[in-house]
Amino acid sequence: MRENRFEEAKSVLQKTLALTPNDPIGQLLLSWVASNLKDDALTEKTLSELVNNLSLLDSEALSNNEELLYIDGMANYASNNMEAAKNSLNQYLFKRPGNTQAANILVDIYKAEGNYTGAIGILENYESNVDTDLPMAMRLCDLYISANLNHKCAWLLTRLEPIYKNEDSYIEMSARLLAARGKLDMALGKLEEINITSLSTVLQKAILSIRAEKYEEANTHIEALLVEYPNSPGVLNLKATVLLKTGREKDAEALFKKIIRENPTHFESKFNLARKYFGEQRATEALPIVESLYASRPGSVEVLTLYGRVLKRVGKSEQAMDILQNASSRAPRNIEIKEALIDLYIADGNNERALSIINTLLKDDFLNARYMYKRGLIYANLEQT
């Protein structure tokens, strides 16, 4: 029944566009209808024509027309032209800040790039909506956790507790916050409070069970998910992760490769395979994967950190230094980045810089034997110079 309605809409829109072939609203609607009908060829053709037509417009004319800015942003987003989409949607939201759909799409773009600060900045502009829009509030909380701003998520949850404490999405986010603070058993216990066990809840249980090294429980949840989503790259990635954690490295690698072969842009599988290669001293195999991740998410701290480490391992120390300093500027409290920079500074003979970072780390973890050993090495180097 639903498909018949989309077919009717497709027919009407095609007839309309035959009379007015360059109507941007008609083209955008047709691409959406074709997408729902899984007509990839028509979707791609329509979007391509729409983006091309809009690109022919004078930039000033486009900037002065709110409707066209919105359509241009949406069309470029659907066509995976993210820079163009960002540009148009930012201009549109400056003129029409009340459009939360456009704001959420812009958040998606920033989040995919690893630019959590940008994504948070957009949603914080809708502060007045948060008390009445639980999905938006939970999305903001999720971004806070991703940006390691757990205290802000905690504050938001406390603020919303009197209204939403029995809502499943609120309980699930509370569990995520507990996990982010390292309280994995408490997080898993929190998920048991959920009233209706959704696939989202099962997914969270699988992820938290992996983090808590409860691999049998994780497998149980993953198998339940695979019944519903046998080809889901996200679920299969979790399965590969469990294989890797339980010593089945070859099986894990084969599954990661299969996921990537069938879903070439799947971030998590590519990242996990690159990290596996790096951990196995196979940096030359990791490098092209990390380069592709960096191309798609140049602002992601985890990508920058892994990229810097891989570059150092393959002997590209100068480029590694630039990448890791970029990562450090985005996440100044990230310990993994600091440790990678220490190793680079020592290798480069810049012992003073290495020592300043080591001393900073020792303030928070003054009994860390590894840091104390490295500081001893640095002092020895300084005495020889």
Side-chain angles (χ1 to χ4, degrees), residues 90-109:
N90 270 313
Q91 289 186 67
Y92 173 77
L93 284 170
F94 181 77
K95 297 172 183 289
R96 287 278 188 91
N99 189 323
T100 55
Q101 183 185 21
N104 276 312
I105 288 173
L106 197 52
V107 167
D108 284 339
I109 294 171

Side-chain angles (χ1 to χ4, degrees), residues 221-292:
H221 300 312
I222 291 166
E223 291 304 322
L225 289 166
L226 286 172
V227 170
E228 297 290 333
Y229 300 106
N231 299 313
S232 164
V235 179
L236 290 170
N237 173 64
L238 292 178
K239 186 177 180 68
T241 302
V242 171
L243 290 171
L244 185 61
K245 297 285 187 181
T246 52
R248 296 172 60 184
E249 289 88 355
K250 289 184 179 179
D251 291 336
E253 183 173 331
L255 186 50
F256 282 136
K257 286 181 174 178
K258 180 179 183 291
I259 298 166
I260 296 165
R261 200 163 50 245
E262 296 173 1
N263 307 272
T265 61
H266 191 252
F267 174 84
E268 288 80 7
S269 297
K270 292 173 75 173
F271 184 85
N272 286 336
L273 181 59
R275 189 164 54 181
K276 176 183 183 295
Y277 284 155
F278 177 75
E280 295 173 345
Q281 308 297 316
R282 297 161 67 185
T284 52
E285 292 174 76
L287 184 58
I289 302 173
V290 182
E291 285 175 336
S292 72

Side-chain angles (χ1 to χ4, degrees), residues 328-345:
S328 184
S329 69
R330 294 172 182 273
R333 294 179 61 83
N334 186 295
I335 291 174
E336 185 182 357
I337 298 169
K338 290 181 184 295
E339 290 181 350
L341 280 170
I342 289 166
D343 291 339
L344 268 176
Y345 284 135

Side-chain angles (χ1 to χ4, degrees), residues 348-362:
D348 199 41
N350 194 339
N351 293 294
E352 289 83 0
R353 291 291 298 273
L355 185 61
S356 69
I357 299 175
I358 279 280
N359 286 336
T360 302
L361 291 172
L362 280 167

Side-chain angles (χ1 to χ4, degrees), residues 120 124 137-146 148-160 170 172-178 180-181:
I120 288 167
E124 284 185 337
M138 294 303 94
R139 192 157 201 221
L140 181 56
C141 214
D142 175 66
L143 287 167
Y144 283 145
I145 292 172
S146 297
N148 201 27
L149 297 170
N150 296 331
H151 63 288
K152 286 198 168 188
C153 178
W155 173 83
L156 183 55
L157 289 175
T158 301
R159 172 177 152 190
L160 298 174
Y170 178 92
E172 189 172 314
M173 189 55 66
S174 299
R176 281 207 60 208
L177 179 60
L178 286 167
R181 288 175 160 173

Side-chain angles (χ1 to χ4, degrees), residues 126-134 137 140 156 159-160 164:
Y126 297 88
E127 186 71 21
S128 59
N129 295 45
V130 166
D131 288 336
T132 56
D133 189 337
L134 183 59
L140 181 56
L156 183 55
R159 172 177 152 190
L160 298 174
Y164 296 116

Side-chain angles (χ1 to χ4, degrees), residues 26-269:
Q27 287 178 314
L28 186 63
L29 285 171
L30 181 57
S31 70
W32 178 74
V33 168
S35 175
N36 278 277
L37 288 169
K38 299 189 177 358
D39 187 342
D40 296 337
L42 180 59
T43 303
E44 187 175 341
K45 176 178 177 293
T46 308
L47 283 172
S48 177
E49 289 173 354
L50 174 56
V51 171
N52 183 61
N53 290 339
L54 291 170
S55 70
L56 298 174
L57 292 174
D58 178 79
S59 60
E60 187 175 344
L62 182 64
S63 297
N64 290 333
N65 190 311
E66 295 171 10
E67 188 176 76
L68 287 179
L69 277 173
Y70 178 73
I71 292 170
D72 187 60
M74 296 290 282
N76 277 296
Y77 175 70
S79 300
N80 208 33
N81 301 323
M82 296 308 174
E83 284 302 318
K86 263 197 307 188
N87 182 47
S88 291
L89 289 172
N90 270 313
Q91 289 186 67
Y92 173 77
L93 284 170
F94 181 77
K95 297 172 183 289
R96 287 278 188 91
N99 189 323
T100 55
Q101 183 185 21
N104 276 312
I105 288 173
L106 197 52
V107 167
D108 284 339
I109 294 171
Y110 282 131
K111 187 177 178 182
E113 293 175 342
N115 184 356
Y116 299 119
T117 303
I120 288 167
I122 293 167
L123 287 186
E124 284 185 337
N125 288 332
Y126 297 88
E127 186 71 21
S128 59
N129 295 45
V130 166
D131 288 336
T132 56
D133 189 337
L134 183 59
M136 179 179 284
M138 294 303 94
R139 192 157 201 221
L140 181 56
C141 214
D142 175 66
L143 287 167
Y144 283 145
I145 292 172
S146 297
N148 201 27
L149 297 170
N150 296 331
H151 63 288
K152 286 198 168 188
C153 178
W155 173 83
L156 183 55
L157 289 175
T158 301
R159 172 177 152 190
L160 298 174
E161 185 178 14
I163 311 169
Y164 296 116
K165 65 180 179 181
N166 295 319
E167 293 289 332
D168 287 348
S169 59
Y170 178 92
I171 296 169
E172 189 172 314
M173 189 55 66
S174 299
R176 281 207 60 208
L177 179 60
L178 286 167
R181 288 175 160 173
K183 301 174 181 179
L184 297 173
D185 287 334
M186 289 179 66
L188 285 164
K190 192 71 178 175
L191 288 176
E192 295 303 323
E193 298 177 17
I194 287 178
N195 302 304
I196 300 173
T197 302
S198 64
L199 291 170
S200 171
T201 305
V202 179
L203 180 63
Q204 285 302 315
K205 286 181 178 179
I207 293 169
L208 293 181
S209 295
I210 292 172
R211 289 183 57 189
E213 299 182 359
K214 298 180 177 181
Y215 300 124
E216 286 188 16
E217 291 180 23
N219 255 332
T220 300
H221 300 312
I222 291 166
E223 291 304 322
L225 289 166
L226 286 172
V227 170
E228 297 290 333
Y229 300 106
N231 299 313
S232 164
V235 179
L236 290 170
N237 173 64
L238 292 178
K239 186 177 180 68
T241 302
V242 171
L243 290 171
L244 185 61
K245 297 285 187 181
T246 52
R248 296 172 60 184
E249 289 88 355
K250 289 184 179 179
D251 291 336
E253 183 173 331
L255 186 50
F256 282 136
K257 286 181 174 178
K258 180 179 183 291
I259 298 166
I260 296 165
R261 200 163 50 245
E262 296 173 1
N263 307 272
T265 61
H266 191 252
F267 174 84
E268 288 80 7
S269 297

